[in-house]
Each structure stands twice: as structure tokens, then as C-alpha cells.
Amino acid sequence: MKISIRSSSTGRRRTSAAVALGAVLALTATACGDDGSGAGGDKGAEGSGKGKIVFWDNNGGVRTDIWKEIIADFEKANPDIDVEYVGIAATEYQSKVDTAIQGGGLPDVGGVGAAMLAGFAAQDALEPLENRLTGSSLNSKLNKDMLESLKAAGGGDGRLYSVPTSANNGVLYYRTDLFEKAGLEPPTTWDAFFEAAQKLTNEDKNEFGYTIRGGAGSIAQALDAMYGQSGITSFWDAQREKTTVNDPKNVAALEKYAALYKKATPAADVNNDFTKMVAQWDSGTIGMLNHNLGSYQDHVKALGTEKFRGIPQPTGPGGKRVQVSNPVDGLGLFKSSKNKDAAWKFIEFALSHEENSKFNESAGQVPANTEAANDAWITKAEPTKLAAQALNDGSTTIVQLPYYLPDWNTISKADNEPNFQKVLLGKMSAKDFLDTMAEQLNEAQAEWNEQMA
């Protein structure tokens, strides 16, 4: 593997980050106890298929009760295997795993979602799972798009390092009462979306058609709106060298989307993250909101089930629905496990029809198990039902975001969230914004391609 250090801002940023990370790891490596599971790169062993395994939950507290229920079911079905549950807060999970990769003490199984997958895989901490999956009872029973999302997020080598449990799909929520009053059709297309945004706005009455995300997390939502309108289905060109973010169709799409700010949205949106945006929609008279399935229960509490709906993202050219990669969570088998056979049995059990259904009913997300995605409970939560249908019926094309790039989080957050605010405020053109982002992405991709050569 070749590693180049460039004099660009991206290269300097990565070099500084690497030096800082090395210093932190040098201090923390000796501070982390080893529970026998070892550290990253440790080959581990298949084991006897019996005994004890350790499971780290990447959303401890929020999902603790349901995981303990699944573990109890597993231990009843597998009395010769004991599972030790360790719940870790989502905000602390990645740093804890990174520390354990260097210093020892990794679990046998852990939650590994798309956003953190490449980092763990690059440190040689995860066991490739495609062969185990092919030979298991889960073969052909998991959502193909979720599998592809995790393969794409794993680092570009085509290996599967995490098996999907669920997707927290993007949703367009809209106020049915306001739409009916205005005589508007449901916003199932982007044309209908923009028409509704304008017609539902009456600034004098503090009524707005849409709330746009201008604060933290704004880039993913903007990308969703861009690719959804343009119909472009790949983040890279055919050679995987140049990004499509600044394709003229995407530039035009972002111009149209950003033009909604202050004309059909509240002025406060320029600084709103999802928490403020959701609270504002629940308490006011705003027509539409883009968020994910996770906020559904908040809307039910605020509005009941009669005043709103949550539907898949609007369709674009030719009735095609395109969206950026939906947040996919999963389970990974750490390579250092001394009991991989038992660990895989636990993963396979957790993703079975009954258990995956139980987990996602609790989480309010789309099951990865396609049989679970057809269970009765999904019909009670329409946004989940429609999201599951859209992911399973072939009507949706997913544009895979480059989670594998070491600079992705910096480019999509620290570097460009402030620039997107400039676009909303009219201080930067959509073209300049996307050209800047494209230059950073192309450089990061070039460095990645060079390292993988």
C-alpha cells in the first residue's frame, strides 16, 4: 500500500489528524484491559461454538431492553452459549472501539453501522462475512440495497464486514390537514413538492411550506434533494475518479432547492439542526419536513396520526426515485474473537425473521430481513411500511456515499456546512459551493485510489 503526503489543505489535515491520533493511541493503548478477545489484526479463532461471547451495543440505553430480550431468546435456543451484553452510548462507541483495536479488549460481536465501518475495516479489525452469509440460513433473505450500502462503506474492496440489521430511511413528512385545506395533492414528485412549498407559505401569518436544514447535518439532506431531482444514480464517474456532485444537473437542482430559503421557509432554518427543525415542525404550521423514521413518534405525540403522513422521498425524472445512501446499521464480527463460530450464530439468530422484526418494531426502522419487512406491525406505522416497500420493490435507486474516504466526515461537515449556509444566504453560488466540494472529494478519492493500488 502506498501512502502519499500532499501539500494541499486536505493532505495537511490528514497528516495532522494522523499525528494526533497516534499520540492518543500511544497513551491509551496500555490503559485498555484485554478480555481475551485481543486487538485489531489479531486473527482470533473459530472456537468450539460454545461458551461465552461478548456483544457491544452501539446504541446502549436506547436499545438496551430490546437487545436483552433478543439475547434471552438466543440463550434459550442455544443453552451452551452465554452472551455478555455491554451497552455503549452512540456518541462514545467509535472512540471506544478504536481504543480497543489498538490496546486489546475488543468484543466478539459489535454494532457496526455504515458511517464507522471503513475506519474499523481499515484497521483490520473486522472479519469478512460474505462466505459465512452465503452458507447461512440468511442467504437471500437480507435487503440487497442494505447489503450493497455496507459493502460500499467497507472501504472499496467489495468485502462485507457488517451484516445489516436495519435502515433509518429518509422520509418526507407533510401536513395532510394543510394540504387538504389548500387543495394540494400529496408531494410524491419533486414538482409537487416545490408547488406545495410555495402555495403553503404565508409569511405574514408565520406559515411556511417547508423547513430546510441549514445547521449541522445539512449536507446529506442537500445531497438527497440534489440527486433526487437530477436522477443521477452514481456518486462517481465510470472511472471512479471524479464525483458527480457538481454535475450541471445537480447544480441546477441545488439552486432550486436552496432558493426555498426565506421564500418558503423560516429564516431561523439557516442555523437549525435536526432537533430544532423537528421541534419547529411539530409546534408550528409548516407544511413539509425532511427527516428520517427516527422522528416519527415525536410527530405522533405532537400532532396525532390524522394530521400528517410520512412518505418516501419524491420521485424525479421519469418517475424514478433516487436518494443518497440511507443510514444502515449492522452487526460485525471482530477478527480477534476466539469464538467466531458462536459469535456468528448470535449474528445469524439476531437477523432471523422473528428477532429482526422484534428489533425493528422497537426501533421504528426498516428491517433488513425481507420476511420481517412484511410483518403486520409495519402497517401500523405507515412511514416505515412505505419505506420498506420502496427499498424492497425496486422503485428506489440508492446513491452510495463515500463513507470509506478518511476525509468524508470532514468534507461533508466541517468544511462545507458553513459554505452551505453561505449558499442559503446568497453569499456563495451553488456552483461555487459544489465545485469546491468536488475538488476536495476528487483529491480525497485520488489519494484513496493511490493507496489501494
Side-chain angles (χ1 to χ4, degrees), residues 227 231-238 240 243-245 399-400:
Y227 282 91
I232 295 171
T233 58
S234 176
F235 197 79
W236 302 104
D237 62 10
R240 293 187 63 81
T243 180
T244 58
V245 294
V399 176
Q400 304 293 347

Side-chain angles (χ1 to χ4, degrees), residues 327-338:
V328 177
D329 205 359
L331 294 174
L333 172 56
F334 285 96
K335 184 179 287 188
S336 59
S337 169
K338 302 301 189 293

Side-chain angles (χ1 to χ4, degrees), residues 262-310:
K262 287 184 72 174
K263 294 179 182 177
T265 79
D269 280 356
V270 71
N271 293 312
N272 281 353
D273 59 11
F274 86 90
T275 304
K276 294 176 182 176
M277 189 175 63
V278 167
Q280 178 177 257
W281 192 73
D282 285 345
S283 63
T285 54
I286 298 174
M288 295 176 291
L289 160 76
N290 274 117
H291 195 234
N292 56 46
L293 293 168
S295 62
Y296 174 68
Q297 291 300 333
D298 291 330
H299 307 322
V300 171
K301 291 176 183 176
L303 302 168
T305 57
E306 302 300 321
K307 292 184 179 180
F308 81 97
R309 289 182 71 202

Side-chain angles (χ1 to χ4, degrees), residues 133-250:
L133 179 60
T134 300
S136 80
S137 61
L138 297 173
N139 190 34
S140 301
K141 293 184 178 179
L142 298 181
N143 182 282
K144 292 180 181 179
D145 283 331
M146 294 188 204
L147 283 168
E148 287 304 313
S149 289
L150 290 182
K151 282 183 181 179
D157 61 359
R159 306 301 299 270
L160 181 70
Y161 293 104
S162 179
V163 184
T165 55
S166 57
N168 194 10
N169 218 44
V171 176
L172 177 61
Y173 293 104
Y174 74 97
R175 290 284 298 270
T176 52
D177 55 342
L178 300 183
F179 270 70
E180 290 171 7
K181 183 178 179 181
L184 290 166
E185 294 296 317
T188 56
T189 67
W190 281 102
D191 287 343
F193 165 84
F194 282 107
E195 178 189 4
Q198 297 294 339
K199 285 191 174 182
L200 292 173
T201 297
N202 186 334
E203 193 172 356
D204 292 339
K205 294 183 178 180
N206 201 35
E207 297 172 351
F208 298 95
Y210 184 60
T211 173
I212 196 168
R213 189 166 180 170
S218 60
I219 302 302
Q221 185 170 304
L223 291 173
D224 229 4
M226 285 163 42
Y227 282 91
Q229 293 176 73
S230 71
I232 295 171
T233 58
S234 176
F235 197 79
W236 302 104
D237 62 10
Q239 293 73 39
R240 293 187 63 81
E241 293 177 351
K242 303 295 183 183
T243 180
T244 58
V245 294
N246 62 335
D247 182 283
K249 292 181 180 178
N250 276 336

